[in-house]
Amino acid sequence: KQLAIYFGQLFFYTFLHRFKYKAMPENYKGILFVGFSKNNQRSLTPIIQNMQSGDYISLEHHKDDVNKRKAWWISLPYIFTVIKTYRKSDAQTRKRIKRFFTDFWTTYGLYHIAEEYLIHYKVNTLVLSNDHNTLHRCLILRAKEMGIKTVYVQHASVTAKFPKLLFDYSFLDGEETFEKYLCAGQPEGNVFLSGGVRFDNYHRKPLTEPIPSIHTIGVAINMVDDFERVKELCLFLIRNDFKIVLRPHPRYGAINRNWLTENGIMFSDPTTESSSDFISHIDCMISNQSAIHLDAAIMNCPSVLFNFSTKGIDDYYSFVKNGLTKEARNYDELKSLLAKPNQLMPANGILRYYNANCNTPLYGRLGEIIASYISIISSNRNLESESSKDFREDENRPRVYLIRI
């Protein structure tokens, strides 16, 4: 199956797709933004909107902006290297290689074109919003070897299994993220606990006491969820007189829209409606393990964690453990929680633990601030001194910077 995928992609990129480098602007400063998914772009767009036009190039489409034809052909002879590595590996590593064989195989070609990118675009500052996908890892490693400055802007919640931070400058959501990255080792470079730039355009709902009763519930589902269980939950909520808006993850797959219509359930299309717009139209959200719980908390929308999967799900974001959201293990617990929305709201300290700029002067301004920092980095000025009005170095943790309050 993996061989079929590889050769199918090789055929497509060789005969059906044409790659072309982007033109370099006249006043180009050597700043390259790379983010190939909507979530990646959610973090980069607020920064790019505050950059001087022509200073940068942004690569946004993994098909159009990546020379996969060349990468796949370069990778072809390395199949023997991958097989040799597989034979020398332990059982657990063999399982991973077998499952992601094509990804391991094409890494050799992607590493080569990562160097070509950095040379062709004359990059002096590389800005990424993803630190673990194959091409991004190749770009990070090659940029470090070439002495190119690297900047990381977090695009989503992370787990303790993420790789070590290798960037010169990392802008993280907050302490919670930093603690998880420490599991992979002490980060390299300077780490700014800035909060998430992707939340800049989130219009927070005003907090009132008490929180109004819940009438409309958003149900956000992802790839681990079983749609039959989702339907059961929706019918339970309908029987209890709640209105429902269903929102699938963009990669969830086909949804039975007819069933939704027949049962009076509204639909939030993730390809056209942002998660913040979805949350702005509901009174409460129910979801399985998903980073969207953080989005809801930041927008002052109560949320409940509920397992729609046929399997047990670990609290790998630690949202329940740390008090960001509460878990309902059955319908009785869910009904009880929905009757007391005030108890669903996290304390401000918990919010800032996850998103450091909540209720600070930097909230909503990170795109502007980080854009100015990237210009400083690109021009070889000292960021540590020029960022001192917004951040201070933690006296107990060298090269870790906290928001001035």
Side-chain angles (χ1 to χ4, degrees):
K1 181 180 177 181
Q2 290 289 312
L3 289 173
I5 291 172
Y6 175 86
F7 284 106
Q9 291 172 338
L10 182 65
F11 178 86
F12 174 81
Y13 292 121
T14 300
F15 298 107
L16 303 178
H17 187 266
R18 183 181 177 186
F19 166 78
K20 185 178 181 181
Y21 280 112
K22 284 192 171 182
M24 285 187 275
E26 184 177 346
N27 299 316
Y28 176 56
K29 300 282 182 63
I31 302 170
L32 181 67
F33 289 88
V34 182
F36 294 127
S37 72
K38 284 192 174 183
N39 279 342
N40 290 172
Q41 283 300 312
R42 202 162 59 122
S43 285
L44 295 181
T45 299
I47 301 170
I48 290 171
Q49 289 172 341
N50 285 280
M51 298 291 297
Q52 288 292 322
S53 179
D55 283 0
Y56 65 90
I57 290 173
S58 178
L59 304 183
E60 303 165 3
H61 306 287
H62 71 92
K63 285 184 180 178
D64 295 337
D65 293 335
V66 181
N67 191 353
K68 291 188 176 181
R69 175 183 180 274
K70 189 169 187 177
W72 264 234
W73 277 107
I74 289 172
S75 299
L76 190 57
Y78 285 97
I79 186 171
F80 303 107
T81 305
V82 180
I83 292 171
K84 187 177 179 180
T85 303
Y86 175 85
R87 288 174 175 169
K88 289 182 177 180
S89 300
D90 58 35
Q92 190 64 30
T93 304
R94 284 188 175 195
K95 187 176 180 180
R96 290 195 190 99
I97 293 174
K98 190 174 182 180
R99 182 180 178 187
F100 301 106
F101 190 85
T102 302
D103 293 327
F104 280 97
W105 189 2
T106 54
T107 298
Y108 294 94
L110 290 172
Y111 185 77
H112 180 90
I113 68 163
E115 179 180 2
E116 282 195 0
Y117 271 17
L118 298 171
I119 293 172
H120 178 86
Y121 287 121
K122 301 177 181 177
V123 180
N124 72 51
T125 305
L126 174 68
V127 186
L128 302 176
S129 56
N130 186 303
D131 67 333
H132 55 276
N133 283 357
T134 310
L135 179 55
H136 295 83
R137 295 301 293 175
C138 292
L139 284 165
I140 296 164
L141 296 173
R142 200 66 194 97
K144 285 179 66 65
E145 292 166 356
M146 297 169 67
I148 293 169
K149 295 178 285 292
T150 54
V151 178
Y152 170 57
V153 183
Q154 185 179 342
H155 83 273
S157 297
V158 305
T159 74
K161 296 181 179 179
F162 272 53
K164 179 180 174 180
L165 287 172
L166 301 176
F167 300 86
D168 296 310
Y169 302 92
S170 298
F171 294 90
L172 304 184
D173 285 2
E175 288 284 352
E176 188 270 347
T177 294
F178 184 64
E179 289 171 8
K180 287 182 175 174
Y181 272 117
L182 283 175
C183 295
Q186 191 66 32
E188 298 183 10
N190 297 323
V191 177
F192 289 79
L193 304 187
S194 60
V197 66
R198 63 191 182 280
F199 302 127
D200 266 11
N201 297 320
Y202 280 29
H203 301 294
R204 306 185 73 192
K205 298 179 180 182
L207 276 177
T208 58
E209 290 289 345
I211 294 175
S213 299
I214 295 170
H215 299 288
T216 302
I217 295 177
V219 177
I221 61 176
N222 57 43
M223 286 78 71
V224 301
D225 295 324
D226 178 76
F227 195 64
E228 290 304 312
R229 291 201 169 194
V230 173
K231 288 163 69 174
E232 288 175 12
L233 171 76
C234 290
L235 294 175
F236 167 79
L237 295 174
I238 290 170
R239 289 195 299 271
N240 284 274
D241 298 322
F242 292 109
K243 295 179 181 179
I244 305 169
V245 182
L246 184 75
R247 179 183 177 85
H249 188 279
R251 292 186 284 123
Y252 184 81
I255 292 288
N256 186 343
R257 298 282 292 273
N258 289 333
W259 184 86
L260 299 181
T261 302
E262 290 167 4
N263 288 278
I265 298 171
M266 294 171 280
F267 183 76
S268 171
D269 188 340
T271 64
T272 58
E273 184 178 42
S274 69
S275 59
S276 60
D277 286 341
F278 159 66
I279 293 168
S280 70
H281 297 138
I282 60 178
D283 303 317
C284 179
M285 187 191 73
I286 300 174
S287 184
N288 204 334
Q289 289 289 351
S290 170
I292 200 170
H293 283 290
L294 180 56
D295 295 17
I298 287 171
M299 292 186 65
N300 292 326
C301 177
S303 75
V304 179
L305 191 148
F306 192 85
N307 186 7
F308 311 124
S309 172
T310 55
K311 301 176 182 178
I313 302 294
D314 294 331
D315 184 23
Y316 51 76
Y317 292 123
S318 302
F319 288 159
V320 175
K321 175 186 173 184
N322 293 326
L324 186 84
T325 189
K326 287 185 169 60
E327 179 182 13
R329 291 165 293 184
N330 53 56
Y331 289 133
D332 287 339
E333 290 185 1
L334 179 61
K335 188 173 181 179
S336 176
L337 288 173
L338 294 176
K340 303 169 184 175
N342 274 60
Q343 296 183 7
L344 296 177
M345 297 304 299
N348 185 52
I350 297 298
L351 267 181
R352 291 198 56 213
Y353 175 62
Y354 278 93
N355 188 54
N357 67 20
C358 270
N359 299 316
T360 74
L362 269 61
Y363 186 82
R365 297 180 49 236
L366 276 184
E368 169 195 341
I369 291 168
I370 296 177
S372 69
Y373 289 178
I374 289 171
S375 295
I376 291 168
I377 293 166
S378 175
S379 59
N380 294 315
R381 285 144 56 202
N382 187 290
L383 178 60
E384 290 72 25
S385 62
E386 300 209 33
S387 65
S388 60
K389 67 179 185 298
D390 300 316
F391 292 89
R392 61 176 178 83
E393 187 173 12
D394 189 331
E395 58 187 24
N396 298 314
R397 297 178 294 182
R399 307 188 77 180
V400 176
Y401 294 83
L402 311 177
I403 296 174
R404 288 190 182 276
I405 299 176

